[in-house]
Amino acid sequence: AAEVTPQRACRLIRELEATYNIYVGNWASLENNENHVPWLQERRGAIEWKFWDRYQRFLRADEKLAPASIKSLHEVTEDVLSRLEAPDRPGEWDRRGLVAGQVQSGKTGNYTGLIAKALDSGYKLIVVLAGVHNSLRSQTQARIDKGILGFDTRNALRFDQAAQDIRIGVGRYGSFLPVNSFTSSKDNGDFSLAVARSIGVQVGGPVPTVLVVKKNARILTTLHQWATRVGQADEDTGRVVVRNVPLLVIDDEADHASVDTNGPKRNQTDDEVDPTRINGLI
């Protein structure tokens, strides 16, 4: 056996402290539960947490995340998920919230964990709004590739076309799970109606879809057109309604480009002022 010198002992202690001596602060919440139907507590045991389980394995093995950090991530994402509506809740519903965190505090990893749990719960369409530039959108897509999809979207967009040699991140842990993306981590890989149509997968089908798009008026307009093409006009209002497609929209850095800066001025009411373009499209 190698001799344990004081220097080696100190190095070992520092490594153990770096791995396990993690302080994770508590979070606080403000909520309005009007029209919210609690659901997660009674269903938790019946849900197969396949996406979440392999994401945890990825965080431990690849990201070297400390157990305390993974535990905190699990608790926070479960708390947020419980505040959403059950994806199979009948009728029309709309639940909104804001999650705030410090710079470089792991927000992307947090909402990636939430996406995993939302997919496990039955959400069919996940849209991540990532910045206003191609570079940031591409970086975010690459994170989603590793943490959710499990394959490199530069080479494939459908899970059943992802060859073994392009599987990355979570795709190397456990079973390969069905999930598609019509956006890729290429610089020009933002949402395109032509690409979505060529893939031949309908929104709301048996395989869920995860998209990462820019906060760009043209992109958001095109995305809305695609997502609502399977809808039908409501008999009473004439408005196009898409049924049975539970949607989760995550607005990354929601304080950038998303805020309605056209608020009413003095002597104006809300209905006299149109929202900013991006805000209105979101």
Side-chain angles (χ1 to χ4, degrees):
E3 179 184 357
V4 180
T5 64
Q7 292 82 2
R8 284 182 176 176
C10 289
R11 187 166 64 249
L12 177 60
I13 290 171
R14 286 197 299 271
E15 289 179 359
L16 289 172
E17 287 178 339
T19 302
Y20 293 101
N21 188 20
I22 305 294
Y23 172 75
V24 180
N26 293 324
W27 67 92
S29 303
L30 295 173
E31 62 183 356
N32 178 358
N33 283 324
E34 183 179 354
N35 198 37
H36 173 56
V37 179
W39 61 281
L40 184 58
Q41 184 173 351
E42 65 180 31
R43 289 202 202 175
R44 185 184 294 110
I47 296 174
E48 292 187 79
W49 300 101
K50 294 181 178 179
F51 281 94
W52 168 247
D53 285 344
R54 73 174 189 172
Y55 183 54
Q56 286 189 97
R57 294 178 64 183
F58 165 72
L59 292 177
R60 285 194 298 266
D62 284 32
E63 300 295 298
K64 309 299 181 186
L65 215 61
S69 297
I70 296 177
K71 179 176 181 290
S72 176
L73 178 64
H74 167 60
E75 293 171 348
V76 171
T77 51
E78 182 157 305
D79 182 67
V80 175
L81 181 67
S82 71
R83 297 171 189 272
L84 306 181
E85 296 307 309
D88 59 353
R89 176 180 169 182
E92 183 177 348
W93 41 264
D94 183 359
R95 182 79 166 156
R96 307 186 186 200
L98 175 69
V99 179
Q102 298 292 333
V103 175
Q104 297 298 317
S105 63
K107 293 188 291 295
T108 303
N110 189 294
Y111 71 66
T112 302
L114 178 62
I115 291 172
K117 292 184 176 182
L119 290 172
D120 285 327
S121 303
Y123 276 84
K124 291 292 187 179
L125 178 59
I126 313 287
V127 178
V128 179
L129 305 176
V132 297
H133 301 293
N134 286 333
S135 57
L136 182 56
R137 192 213 64 82
S138 177
Q139 291 172 22
T140 303
Q141 177 79 59
R143 295 281 298 273
I144 296 298
D145 288 1
K146 288 184 177 181
I148 296 295
L149 301 174
F151 57 89
D152 192 335
T153 52
R154 292 175 298 180
N155 299 301
L157 296 176
R158 287 176 50 154
F159 83 99
D160 54 359
Q161 297 175 349
Q164 187 71 37
D165 60 347
I166 66 169
R167 296 183 183 179
I168 59 176
V170 295
R172 295 183 283 106
Y173 297 95
S175 58
F176 195 59
L177 302 178
V179 57
N180 296 321
S181 178
F182 304 160
T183 57
S184 82
S185 58
K186 297 176 182 178
D187 278 349
N188 63 345
D190 210 332
F191 184 83
S192 160
L193 197 57
V195 171
R197 286 173 174 167
S198 69
I199 292 174
V201 175
Q202 183 168 303
V203 61
V207 178
T209 301
V210 179
L211 307 175
V212 181
V213 304
K214 290 194 305 292
K215 300 176 193 177
N216 172 279
R218 179 180 59 82
I219 296 293
L220 294 176
T221 299
T222 303
L223 174 58
H224 182 266
Q225 291 172 348
W226 169 79
T228 57
R229 68 189 173 92
V230 296
Q232 297 177 334
D234 184 88
E235 294 180 357
D236 297 326
T237 65
R239 185 167 60 96
V240 174
V241 177
V242 180
R243 305 185 190 282
N244 303 317
V245 183
L247 164 69
L248 173 62
V249 177
I250 297 176
D251 188 354
D252 192 11
E253 299 187 17
D255 56 343
H256 185 204
S258 302
V259 179
D260 180 8
T261 55
N262 284 355
K265 306 299 187 292
R266 184 177 298 177
N267 298 325
Q268 285 184 316
T269 60
D270 288 342
D271 58 2
E272 294 178 307
V273 182
D274 289 330
T276 54
R277 187 79 186 281
I278 299 298
N279 179 272
L281 287 168
I282 292 174

